[in-house]
Amino acid sequence: MGDASAVDGLSVSRRVRRADLKAVGEVRRSLRELLRHRCRADTADVAELLITELVTNALVHTDQGAEVSASLTATRVRVEVRDYAARHPRTYVPTADDGTHGRGLVLVQALADSWGVDSLGGSRGKVVWFELDDGADAVWAAEPA
């Protein structure tokens, strides 16, 4: 997918080419593989939904590609989506006439344990990120050996 990809133990990173919306599914599958057997199913499901929203936003609302990274610790999942537009995304509450448009950041705000936007300065763009608490160690400890 995209220009480059890398997997390192408990992290994954991908570069997605401009307007390559097919790559959104590939990013989601890479995240699913990273999280499989390492965190709770509900955490993985939310992470997949939110990464889909952020990557789609970056590809639809900017003129260049995006860089996506996800990392996993014993208790937390962190996803970062970097694009090269200085403009910060706005949380938009859609109307009933909008169909499914405009719900991405509302979902991130509602479902992530923390999230934010870090400006990288001018043409360097920004990083939109979210974190999910997992507590998977407690789940693994309860499983029979």
Side-chain angles (χ1 to χ4, degrees):
M1 168 196 56
D3 299 328
S5 66
V7 177
D8 176 25
L10 297 179
S11 67
V12 63
S13 62
R14 303 277 182 182
R15 181 172 296 164
V16 182
R17 289 186 305 269
R18 177 179 174 263
D20 185 6
L21 292 176
K22 291 186 296 184
V24 175
E26 295 171 10
V27 167
R28 189 175 51 246
R29 283 187 291 281
S30 293
L31 180 65
R32 182 183 314 131
E33 186 62 29
L34 172 69
L35 301 181
R36 189 170 57 135
H37 306 302
R38 294 185 176 115
C39 68
R40 297 183 326 223
D42 60 329
T43 301
D45 291 344
V46 169
E48 284 184 53
L49 171 65
L50 299 184
I51 199 172
T52 299
E53 296 296 335
L54 292 186
V55 173
T56 300
N57 283 351
L59 295 179
V60 169
H61 298 293
T62 67
D63 293 331
Q64 296 182 13
E67 295 177 23
V68 182
S69 63
S71 59
L72 180 65
T73 67
T75 59
R76 184 166 287 254
V77 176
R78 181 177 174 95
V79 171
E80 299 180 352
V81 179
R82 177 189 180 184
D83 64 50
Y84 297 90
R87 180 179 70 253
H88 278 228
R90 294 185 334 236
T91 304
Y92 167 75
V93 179
T95 65
D97 296 341
D98 286 339
T100 60
H101 171 74
R103 289 175 168 74
L105 285 180
V106 172
L107 288 171
V108 173
Q109 186 175 34
L111 298 175
D113 292 303
S114 59
W115 77 283
V117 181
D118 297 333
S119 179
L120 301 175
S123 64
R124 293 181 50 221
K126 65 185 170 297
V127 174
V128 182
W129 58 271
F130 69 85
E131 294 181 338
L132 300 172
D133 294 331
D134 182 48
D137 286 341
V139 174
W140 291 342
E143 293 177 0

mmCIF file with all atom_site columns, all heavy atoms in Angstrom, residues 91-102:
data_model
loop_
_atom_site.group_PDB
_atom_site.id
_atom_site.type_symbol
_atom_site.label_atom_id
_atom_site.label_alt_id
_atom_site.label_comp_id
_atom_site.label_asym_id
_atom_site.label_entity_id
_atom_site.label_seq_id
_atom_site.pdbx_PDB_ins_code
_atom_site.Cartn_x
_atom_site.Cartn_y
_atom_site.Cartn_z
_atom_site.occupancy
_atom_site.B_iso_or_equiv
_atom_site.pdbx_formal_charge
_atom_site.auth_seq_id
_atom_site.auth_comp_id
_atom_site.auth_asym_id
_atom_site.auth_atom_id
_atom_site.pdbx_PDB_model_num
ATOM 1  N N   . THR A 1 91  ? -14.335 20.049 14.182 1.00 0.00 ? 91  THR A N   1
ATOM 2  C CA  . THR A 1 91  ? -15.376 19.118 14.561 1.00 0.00 ? 91  THR A CA  1
ATOM 3  C C   . THR A 1 91  ? -16.686 19.680 14.033 1.00 0.00 ? 91  THR A C   1
ATOM 4  O O   . THR A 1 91  ? -17.012 20.837 14.252 1.00 0.00 ? 91  THR A O   1
ATOM 5  C CB  . THR A 1 91  ? -15.449 18.964 16.093 1.00 0.00 ? 91  THR A CB  1
ATOM 6  O OG1 . THR A 1 91  ? -14.155 18.562 16.554 1.00 0.00 ? 91  THR A OG1 1
ATOM 7  C CG2 . THR A 1 91  ? -16.458 17.913 16.498 1.00 0.00 ? 91  THR A CG2 1
ATOM 8  N N   . TYR A 1 92  ? -17.412 18.868 13.294 1.00 0.00 ? 92  TYR A N   1
ATOM 9  C CA  . TYR A 1 92  ? -18.607 19.303 12.600 1.00 0.00 ? 92  TYR A CA  1
ATOM 10 C C   . TYR A 1 92  ? -19.756 18.416 13.028 1.00 0.00 ? 92  TYR A C   1
ATOM 11 O O   . TYR A 1 92  ? -19.661 17.199 12.944 1.00 0.00 ? 92  TYR A O   1
ATOM 12 C CB  . TYR A 1 92  ? -18.335 19.181 11.093 1.00 0.00 ? 92  TYR A CB  1
ATOM 13 C CG  . TYR A 1 92  ? -19.534 19.280 10.201 1.00 0.00 ? 92  TYR A CG  1
ATOM 14 C CD1 . TYR A 1 92  ? -20.139 20.503 9.956  1.00 0.00 ? 92  TYR A CD1 1
ATOM 15 C CD2 . TYR A 1 92  ? -20.045 18.151 9.577  1.00 0.00 ? 92  TYR A CD2 1
ATOM 16 C CE1 . TYR A 1 92  ? -21.220 20.592 9.121  1.00 0.00 ? 92  TYR A CE1 1
ATOM 17 C CE2 . TYR A 1 92  ? -21.126 18.235 8.733  1.00 0.00 ? 92  TYR A CE2 1
ATOM 18 C CZ  . TYR A 1 92  ? -21.720 19.465 8.503  1.00 0.00 ? 92  TYR A CZ  1
ATOM 19 O OH  . TYR A 1 92  ? -22.788 19.560 7.676  1.00 0.00 ? 92  TYR A OH  1
ATOM 20 N N   . VAL A 1 93  ? -20.804 19.008 13.506 1.00 0.00 ? 93  VAL A N   1
ATOM 21 C CA  . VAL A 1 93  ? -21.991 18.234 13.872 1.00 0.00 ? 93  VAL A CA  1
ATOM 22 C C   . VAL A 1 93  ? -22.913 18.235 12.662 1.00 0.00 ? 93  VAL A C   1
ATOM 23 O O   . VAL A 1 93  ? -23.484 19.269 12.295 1.00 0.00 ? 93  VAL A O   1
ATOM 24 C CB  . VAL A 1 93  ? -22.702 18.827 15.105 1.00 0.00 ? 93  VAL A CB  1
ATOM 25 C CG1 . VAL A 1 93  ? -23.941 18.014 15.444 1.00 0.00 ? 93  VAL A CG1 1
ATOM 26 C CG2 . VAL A 1 93  ? -21.748 18.885 16.285 1.00 0.00 ? 93  VAL A CG2 1
ATOM 27 N N   . PRO A 1 94  ? -23.040 17.087 11.998 1.00 0.00 ? 94  PRO A N   1
ATOM 28 C CA  . PRO A 1 94  ? -23.808 17.034 10.760 1.00 0.00 ? 94  PRO A CA  1
ATOM 29 C C   . PRO A 1 94  ? -25.312 17.137 11.008 1.00 0.00 ? 94  PRO A C   1
ATOM 30 O O   . PRO A 1 94  ? -25.806 16.798 12.075 1.00 0.00 ? 94  PRO A O   1
ATOM 31 C CB  . PRO A 1 94  ? -23.449 15.665 10.183 1.00 0.00 ? 94  PRO A CB  1
ATOM 32 C CG  . PRO A 1 94  ? -23.031 14.857 11.354 1.00 0.00 ? 94  PRO A CG  1
ATOM 33 C CD  . PRO A 1 94  ? -22.439 15.819 12.344 1.00 0.00 ? 94  PRO A CD  1
ATOM 34 N N   . THR A 1 95  ? -26.004 17.591 9.983  1.00 0.00 ? 95  THR A N   1
ATOM 35 C CA  . THR A 1 95  ? -27.466 17.624 10.030 1.00 0.00 ? 95  THR A CA  1
ATOM 36 C C   . THR A 1 95  ? -27.993 16.318 9.444  1.00 0.00 ? 95  THR A C   1
ATOM 37 O O   . THR A 1 95  ? -27.244 15.537 8.848  1.00 0.00 ? 95  THR A O   1
ATOM 38 C CB  . THR A 1 95  ? -28.016 18.810 9.217  1.00 0.00 ? 95  THR A CB  1
ATOM 39 O OG1 . THR A 1 95  ? -27.680 18.603 7.839  1.00 0.00 ? 95  THR A OG1 1
ATOM 40 C CG2 . THR A 1 95  ? -27.431 20.124 9.708  1.00 0.00 ? 95  THR A CG2 1
ATOM 41 N N   . ALA A 1 96  ? -29.286 16.109 9.579  1.00 0.00 ? 96  ALA A N   1
ATOM 42 C CA  . ALA A 1 96  ? -29.901 14.883 9.062  1.00 0.00 ? 96  ALA A CA  1
ATOM 43 C C   . ALA A 1 96  ? -29.744 14.769 7.544  1.00 0.00 ? 96  ALA A C   1
ATOM 44 O O   . ALA A 1 96  ? -29.700 13.668 6.999  1.00 0.00 ? 96  ALA A O   1
ATOM 45 C CB  . ALA A 1 96  ? -31.377 14.850 9.443  1.00 0.00 ? 96  ALA A CB  1
ATOM 46 N N   . ASP A 1 97  ? -29.609 15.893 6.847  1.00 0.00 ? 97  ASP A N   1
ATOM 47 C CA  . ASP A 1 97  ? -29.483 15.890 5.389  1.00 0.00 ? 97  ASP A CA  1
ATOM 48 C C   . ASP A 1 97  ? -28.085 15.508 4.900  1.00 0.00 ? 97  ASP A C   1
ATOM 49 O O   . ASP A 1 97  ? -27.899 15.305 3.714  1.00 0.00 ? 97  ASP A O   1
ATOM 50 C CB  . ASP A 1 97  ? -29.818 17.279 4.833  1.00 0.00 ? 97  ASP A CB  1
ATOM 51 C CG  . ASP A 1 97  ? -31.256 17.673 5.089  1.00 0.00 ? 97  ASP A CG  1
ATOM 52 O OD1 . ASP A 1 97  ? -32.084 16.776 5.354  1.00 0.00 ? 97  ASP A OD1 1
ATOM 53 O OD2 . ASP A 1 97  ? -31.551 18.883 5.035  1.00 0.00 ? 97  ASP A OD2 1
ATOM 54 N N   . ASP A 1 98  ? -27.111 15.440 5.798  1.00 0.00 ? 98  ASP A N   1
ATOM 55 C CA  . ASP A 1 98  ? -25.733 15.177 5.400  1.00 0.00 ? 98  ASP A CA  1
ATOM 56 C C   . ASP A 1 98  ? -25.423 13.708 5.142  1.00 0.00 ? 98  ASP A C   1
ATOM 57 O O   . ASP A 1 98  ? -24.313 13.378 4.754  1.00 0.00 ? 98  ASP A O   1
ATOM 58 C CB  . ASP A 1 98  ? -24.763 15.681 6.475  1.00 0.00 ? 98  ASP A CB  1
ATOM 59 C CG  . ASP A 1 98  ? -24.640 17.183 6.488  1.00 0.00 ? 98  ASP A CG  1
ATOM 60 O OD1 . ASP A 1 98  ? -24.953 17.813 5.461  1.00 0.00 ? 98  ASP A OD1 1
ATOM 61 O OD2 . ASP A 1 98  ? -24.243 17.726 7.525  1.00 0.00 ? 98  ASP A OD2 1
ATOM 62 N N   . GLY A 1 99  ? -26.353 12.827 5.360  1.00 0.00 ? 99  GLY A N   1
ATOM 63 C CA  . GLY A 1 99  ? -26.072 11.405 5.182  1.00 0.00 ? 99  GLY A CA  1
ATOM 64 C C   . GLY A 1 99  ? -24.987 10.970 6.149  1.00 0.00 ? 99  GLY A C   1
ATOM 65 O O   . GLY A 1 99  ? -25.092 11.186 7.344  1.00 0.00 ? 99  GLY A O   1
ATOM 66 N N   . THR A 1 100 ? -23.909 10.408 5.618  1.00 0.00 ? 100 THR A N   1
ATOM 67 C CA  . THR A 1 100 ? -22.814 9.963  6.483  1.00 0.00 ? 100 THR A CA  1
ATOM 68 C C   . THR A 1 100 ? -21.654 10.942 6.472  1.00 0.00 ? 100 THR A C   1
ATOM 69 O O   . THR A 1 100 ? -20.643 10.704 7.117  1.00 0.00 ? 100 THR A O   1
ATOM 70 C CB  . THR A 1 100 ? -22.307 8.575  6.052  1.00 0.00 ? 100 THR A CB  1
ATOM 71 O OG1 . THR A 1 100 ? -21.851 8.672  4.701  1.00 0.00 ? 100 THR A OG1 1
ATOM 72 C CG2 . THR A 1 100 ? -23.390 7.536  6.167  1.00 0.00 ? 100 THR A CG2 1
ATOM 73 N N   . HIS A 1 101 ? -21.787 12.044 5.757  1.00 0.00 ? 101 HIS A N   1
ATOM 74 C CA  . HIS A 1 101 ? -20.705 13.029 5.650  1.00 0.00 ? 101 HIS A CA  1
ATOM 75 C C   . HIS A 1 101 ? -20.526 13.792 6.962  1.00 0.00 ? 101 HIS A C   1
ATOM 76 O O   . HIS A 1 101 ? -21.480 14.156 7.615  1.00 0.00 ? 101 HIS A O   1
ATOM 77 C CB  . HIS A 1 101 ? -21.020 14.022 4.529  1.00 0.00 ? 101 HIS A CB  1
ATOM 78 C CG  . HIS A 1 101 ? -20.091 15.174 4.472  1.00 0.00 ? 101 HIS A CG  1
ATOM 79 N ND1 . HIS A 1 101 ? -18.799 15.052 4.009  1.00 0.00 ? 101 HIS A ND1 1
ATOM 80 C CD2 . HIS A 1 101 ? -20.236 16.462 4.858  1.00 0.00 ? 101 HIS A CD2 1
ATOM 81 C CE1 . HIS A 1 101 ? -18.200 16.233 4.085  1.00 0.00 ? 101 HIS A CE1 1
ATOM 82 N NE2 . HIS A 1 101 ? -19.044 17.101 4.604  1.00 0.00 ? 101 HIS A NE2 1
ATOM 83 N N   . GLY A 1 102 ? -19.258 14.012 7.347  1.00 0.00 ? 102 GLY A N   1
ATOM 84 C CA  . GLY A 1 102 ? -18.963 14.924 8.434  1.00 0.00 ? 102 GLY A CA  1
ATOM 85 C C   . GLY A 1 102 ? -18.942 14.343 9.825  1.00 0.00 ? 102 GLY A C   1
ATOM 86 O O   . GLY A 1 102 ? -18.867 15.081 10.795 1.00 0.00 ? 102 GLY A O   1
#
